[in-house]
Structure formats: structure tokens, C-alpha cells
Amino acid sequence: MAPLGLLSIGERGEILVIHRGRDAPTDGKNRLLCHVEEIGLRVGKVVEMLNNEGRGTLLVKVDESRIALGRGMAMKIMVRRIAE
């Protein structure tokens, strides 16, 4: 298991866990999890890394959508690498 932010361009991974942010409330769903789910990233989805230049925003493909993510958010999403 590795953070989404560490996938290389062209690598694919299945989302296993989305960690709560440090400022997440202890009751109910936290804002990070709600936002991530709203943009289409959910546990069980397969993502493909389209752009990861080591700094700044990442670009991933989920289903037929392309999604830009901040690096901090991407490091809270744990994936299982999928071998081609």
C-alpha cells in the first residue's frame, strides 16, 4: 500500500483507504472525505496517474474523468499498485 501521490506517470492503483485530515471533526464525515468522494475518488475505484512531476498538482484518471488533486490530498489516499 502506498500514497496516491507516489505513483509514477502511467501507474495504476486501486483506492484502499482515504485518511482523515488533521483538522477533521470527530463526529460524522469529515470534509476531506466528502470532497474526495464528490470528485469521484472512492474506495475500490481504480486510478491512473497522468501527471506527477514531483511538486504541485497531480492529474489522475478515474473512469473516463481526469481529476486534478493537490499533493497533500493525494498523500492521504492510499492505493494498491496494479501490475500491468
Side-chain angles (χ1 to χ4, degrees):
M1 189 162 59
L4 176 60
L6 296 183
L7 292 183
S8 299
I9 294 172
E11 272 192 297
R12 294 175 44 191
E14 177 187 358
I15 298 174
L16 300 178
V17 178
I18 301 170
H19 290 295
R20 298 167 56 102
R22 281 187 297 187
D23 60 343
T26 55
D27 57 330
K29 272 191 164 179
N30 71 61
R31 281 180 261 152
L32 173 68
L33 182 58
C34 289
H35 176 69
V36 168
E37 288 181 346
E38 285 173 358
I39 62 174
L41 298 173
R42 293 179 179 82
V43 171
K45 288 284 191 177
V46 173
V47 298
E48 179 182 352
M49 184 62 68
L50 299 177
N51 187 22
N52 184 358
E53 296 186 7
R55 290 183 173 212
T57 306
L58 310 171
L59 185 63
V60 296
K61 181 178 178 183
V62 180
D63 296 325
E64 295 304 315
S65 299
R66 287 172 171 71
I67 299 170
L69 288 174
R71 185 156 304 277
M73 184 181 296
M75 295 303 281
K76 292 182 175 102
I77 300 171
M78 303 304 288
V79 298
R80 177 182 55 85
R81 286 183 166 101
I82 298 174
E84 292 296 319

